[in-house]
Amino acid sequence: MSGYLVPARFGEAEFVEKRSRFIGRVWPVENEEEAVAHIKEMREKHWDATHNVYAYIIREGGAMRYSDDGEPGGTSGMPTLNVFRAGEIFNVCCVVTRYFGGILLGTGGLVRAYSQAAKLALEAAGVSRMDIWESTVTACPYSLYERVRRELEAAGAVIENVDYGADITIEAFLPSGTSGEVNIRLADISAGSVELLVLGQEYRAVEISREEAVE
């Protein structure tokens, strides 16, 4: 599947490591101006913090920036950035705020702590895939629901809504170009009684599971 990954929404996570408090925050952003605005906001909100480390990646133009904000070089900004580089996440801004607790973590400890803060914040935000999706709807009897759902998910569908009425109606986004094959499979398992209707195509971000994000 083509497209690219972005944060689904704002995410925040916090933990304490050897008395130091780490607060990770992730935002979806469209440009550097938005990223810089979030960084400025966190610096003002946490003016009393020991460090406000940041990293961001903007797909258009290939902008990629980070700052250690006073931490030893290579121990904070780059590890934070690498969380998103490794996950191939774009249009993302992350700020990790640290309140020093009086115990030194060492180089390795800092790398792990900042990486962990970024990972937890990203998990809280969730991940969406920006791509061309087919908006679809399928109605099926209760007896076939589990098989129909498995066929949709096997094709990479993201289930948006399930309505339990006289039949079960499933609204889902399918990767572009896959609906034809899915319809063949649904016809096979239902003796032709279940059909997938394509309502249209949209270029948009659709939230996906963590498993799909790492495929």
Side-chain angles (χ1 to χ4, degrees):
M1 188 177 180
S2 59
Y4 60 94
L5 303 180
V6 298
R9 62 185 68 82
F10 169 73
E12 180 177 338
E14 179 178 336
F15 68 95
V16 175
E17 179 69 23
K18 294 183 179 178
R19 299 183 185 174
S20 279
R21 179 186 174 203
F22 290 87
I23 310 167
R25 294 181 175 93
V26 162
W27 298 264
V29 293
E30 293 296 323
N31 50 54
E32 286 194 83
E33 289 74 16
E34 288 185 25
V36 170
H38 288 306
I39 294 163
K40 182 175 182 290
E41 178 188 4
M42 291 301 99
R43 284 175 168 170
E44 292 174 352
K45 179 177 181 178
H46 295 286
W47 59 269
D48 58 339
T50 318
H51 307 280
N52 283 294
V53 168
Y54 71 78
Y56 64 83
I57 302 174
I58 310 298
R59 188 171 186 268
E60 187 172 349
M64 190 180 300
R65 306 279 187 272
Y66 68 89
S67 170
D68 293 313
D69 195 34
E71 292 280 29
T75 63
S76 52
M78 180 58 79
T80 299
L81 182 70
N82 283 341
V83 169
F84 306 103
R85 291 177 65 188
E88 298 183 346
I89 310 293
F90 294 91
N91 292 0
V92 57
C93 175
C94 177
V95 177
V96 179
T97 298
R98 181 192 183 190
Y99 285 91
F100 182 54
I103 300 176
L104 295 175
L105 300 184
T107 300
L110 287 172
V111 170
R112 287 190 294 273
Y114 280 100
S115 299
Q116 179 75 351
K119 288 176 183 177
L120 292 175
L122 181 60
E123 287 178 7
V127 174
S128 292
R129 187 184 299 278
M130 181 67 74
D131 209 340
I132 299 174
W133 296 83
E134 294 179 322
S135 176
T136 70
V137 62
T138 310
C140 67
Y142 281 74
S143 59
L144 288 175
Y145 170 64
E146 290 300 333
R147 294 186 68 186
V148 169
R149 184 174 186 125
R150 283 198 298 270
E151 290 295 340
L152 290 171
E153 291 177 342
V158 176
I159 308 296
E160 285 288 291
N161 184 59
V162 179
D163 181 56
Y164 299 90
D167 284 329
I168 297 181
T169 302
I170 307 169
E171 298 173 11
F173 286 104
L174 270 170
S176 178
T178 60
S179 58
E181 182 63 29
V182 172
N183 247 330
I184 293 172
R185 293 291 305 136
L186 294 181
D188 285 345
I189 66 173
S190 68
S193 64
V194 175
E195 182 180 5
L196 178 81
L197 299 179
V198 179
L199 305 179
Q201 288 193 338
E202 299 179 50
Y203 184 71
R204 56 169 292 170
V206 174
E207 188 168 2
I208 61 178
S209 68
R210 290 176 60 188
E211 291 75 15
E212 290 176 293
V214 298
E215 285 180 355

